[in-house]
Amino acid sequence: MTGIHIPVLAGELIELLDPQPGQVAVDCTFGGGGHARLVADLIGPTGTLIAIDRDPIAEQRFAELSDEVACATRFIRADFAAGLELLRDERQRADLVYMDLGMSSMQVDTWERGFSYAYDAPLDMRMDPDQELSAHGIVNSWDERQLARLLKEYGEERYASKIARAIVRTRAQAPIETTQELVEVLKSAIPVPAQFAGGHPAKRTFQAIRIAVNAELEQVDEALPVAWELLSVGGKLGVITFHSLEDRRAKRFLADRAQGCICPPDLPVCACGRTAEGELLSRRAIAPSAGEVAHNPRAKSAHLRGARKLKELS
């Protein structure tokens, strides 16, 4: 079963990027195509939409969208870091590049893919079903120290060590095969009062495992510089994030692009000669409205940041 895709911060992204007729737009994380459809309508028949996604279901949805929009279209089946690198190798230029990080609604609601703790399904969590590493592999083969570090760093899980110990102890009797089996292990390791604070007790662990399975943070680190390089002068980059690990990376990258002189403040004359490569499109991260969160609770943690490219690096 695949749920209805609701694009997060769609109006805000369109306002930030301001797509114009004839522009070239790169959607790095096509997913269900909600943002892409809005962009395609605005760049019109003289524009070009290039979409990237590693998920074969996204490719199917793109084929449907491609038949319905007037602009030229292209789909690249790859993770977004690899897709952007391909475009760079082809010397493709873009006016707009945007990425909506994390899972898409269709992935969460396709229960058999094992992304959600709300359904009982095989442990999987692969955005690309052809890749080898899965949640099952991590849960049943990583040692206790690796698991604890993963849950602490990627899930910011307070009880990481206890959970890792419980996983190792449980799988010694039999492999942990499903999402609900893992949820029960987590509940056994987390003190009961903590299970009723801060959302579902499995939320942080599932996030950490999913990030590791799909190398999500490595993808962000690799993709942001390439996305910026693809932009023509005057082009805009937009990034939607869903947790602090992603948002810190986007914030730091965009702030660095907008940083000018880095000389000590007590130096009377600039000696570094550095000028900003870009300018931020908003002073702070843009959050969803209360109305959007009420309509789509998954938008609650979303943040949008963006910048305009001012010059090419020499």
Side-chain angles (χ1 to χ4, degrees), residues 8-9 13 16 29 35 80 98-103 207 210 216-217 220-221 224 238-254 284-288 292 298-306:
V8 171
L9 290 169
L13 179 69
L16 192 79
T29 49
H35 296 114
F80 61 91
Y98 58 96
M99 51 189 76
D100 178 9
L101 303 177
M103 298 177 291
Q207 171 185 294
R210 189 202 78 230
E216 293 178 31
L217 298 181
V220 175
D221 290 339
L224 285 172
V239 185
I240 298 174
T241 64
F242 287 86
H243 57 75
S244 60
L245 299 173
E246 296 171 338
D247 189 54
R248 282 197 293 266
R249 283 165 163 79
K251 179 180 180 180
R252 183 171 59 246
F253 178 84
L254 295 175
R284 299 178 181 273
I286 299 169
E292 178 173 4
R298 289 173 181 165
K300 183 177 180 180
S301 61
H303 289 89
L304 168 63
R305 299 182 185 274

Side-chain angles (χ1 to χ4, degrees), residues 98-119:
Y98 58 96
M99 51 189 76
D100 178 9
L101 303 177
M103 298 177 291
S104 69
S105 298
M106 67 181 188
Q107 290 168 334
V108 177
D109 294 329
T110 305
W111 65 266
E112 63 269 22
R113 299 185 68 174
F115 282 100
S116 175
Y117 42 77
Y119 310 110

Side-chain angles (χ1 to χ4, degrees), residues 206-230:
F206 271 61
Q207 171 185 294
I209 295 171
R210 189 202 78 230
I211 288 172
V213 167
N214 298 290
E216 293 178 31
L217 298 181
E218 293 88 343
Q219 288 276 302
V220 175
D221 290 339
E222 293 171 14
L224 285 172
V226 183
W228 189 258
E229 187 178 340
L230 289 181

Side-chain angles (χ1 to χ4, degrees), residues 6-304:
I6 304 175
V8 171
L9 290 169
E12 291 82 353
L13 179 69
I14 293 302
E15 183 177 356
L16 192 79
L17 298 182
D18 189 25
Q20 296 296 312
Q23 289 187 324
V24 176
V26 178
D27 185 321
C28 299
T29 49
F30 178 78
H35 296 114
R37 183 176 295 276
L38 296 174
V39 171
D41 288 343
L42 290 169
I43 62 177
T46 57
T48 299
L49 172 69
I50 302 171
I52 304 169
D53 207 294
R54 61 179 122 178
D55 194 320
I57 296 177
E59 186 170 12
Q60 296 170 19
R61 293 207 174 191
F62 180 81
E64 298 170 3
L65 179 140
S66 183
D67 290 338
E68 298 169 359
V69 297
C71 65
T73 59
R74 176 187 178 187
F75 186 85
I76 300 172
R77 168 83 190 279
D79 62 63
F80 61 91
L84 288 169
E85 288 173 0
L86 174 64
L87 293 174
R88 178 178 62 183
D89 292 344
E90 295 176 352
R91 301 184 182 277
Q92 175 68 55
R93 304 297 283 176
D95 302 292
L96 310 172
V97 180
Y98 58 96
M99 51 189 76
D100 178 9
L101 303 177
M103 298 177 291
S104 69
S105 298
M106 67 181 188
Q107 290 168 334
V108 177
D109 294 329
T110 305
W111 65 266
E112 63 269 22
R113 299 185 68 174
F115 282 100
S116 175
Y117 42 77
Y119 310 110
D120 191 17
L123 276 175
D124 193 332
M125 303 192 195
R126 292 174 296 175
M127 293 180 180
D128 180 354
D130 295 331
Q131 77 175 39
E132 184 176 350
L133 182 64
S134 70
H136 186 279
I138 289 176
V139 169
N140 288 290
S141 66
W142 285 24
D143 65 34
E144 184 176 331
R145 180 177 296 182
Q146 285 177 300
L147 288 170
R149 182 177 179 182
L150 166 66
L151 301 183
K152 183 176 181 179
E153 292 186 2
Y154 287 2
E156 300 175 300
E157 172 56 67
R158 178 181 178 185
Y159 300 101
S161 296
K162 291 184 177 181
I163 291 171
R165 193 174 307 119
I167 288 173
V168 171
R169 183 172 60 246
T170 301
R171 77 189 191 197
Q173 305 301 316
I176 301 170
E177 301 285 355
T178 71
T179 53
Q180 290 308 300
E181 287 178 17
L182 179 58
V183 168
E184 292 305 313
V185 174
L186 303 179
K187 288 181 177 179
S188 74
I190 299 174
V192 173
Q195 294 183 25
F196 298 94
H200 195 285
K203 178 181 178 180
R204 290 175 292 277
T205 293
F206 271 61
Q207 171 185 294
I209 295 171
R210 189 202 78 230
I211 288 172
V213 167
N214 298 290
E216 293 178 31
L217 298 181
E218 293 88 343
Q219 288 276 302
V220 175
D221 290 339
E222 293 171 14
L224 285 172
V226 183
W228 189 258
E229 187 178 340
L230 289 181
L231 287 175
S232 301
V233 173
K236 299 174 184 177
L237 171 62
V239 185
I240 298 174
T241 64
F242 287 86
H243 57 75
S244 60
L245 299 173
E246 296 171 338
D247 189 54
R248 282 197 293 266
R249 283 165 163 79
K251 179 180 180 180
R252 183 171 59 246
F253 178 84
L254 295 175
D256 285 348
R257 305 287 81 71
Q259 175 69 55
C261 174
I262 56 174
C263 292
D266 58 346
L267 200 66
V269 179
C270 174
C272 70
R274 173 171 169 160
T275 57
E277 301 171 45
E279 62 179 354
L280 300 179
L281 295 175
S282 63
R283 293 185 61 187
R284 299 178 181 273
I286 299 169
S289 66
E292 178 173 4
V293 173
H295 180 62
N296 179 18
R298 289 173 181 165
K300 183 177 180 180
S301 61
H303 289 89
L304 168 63

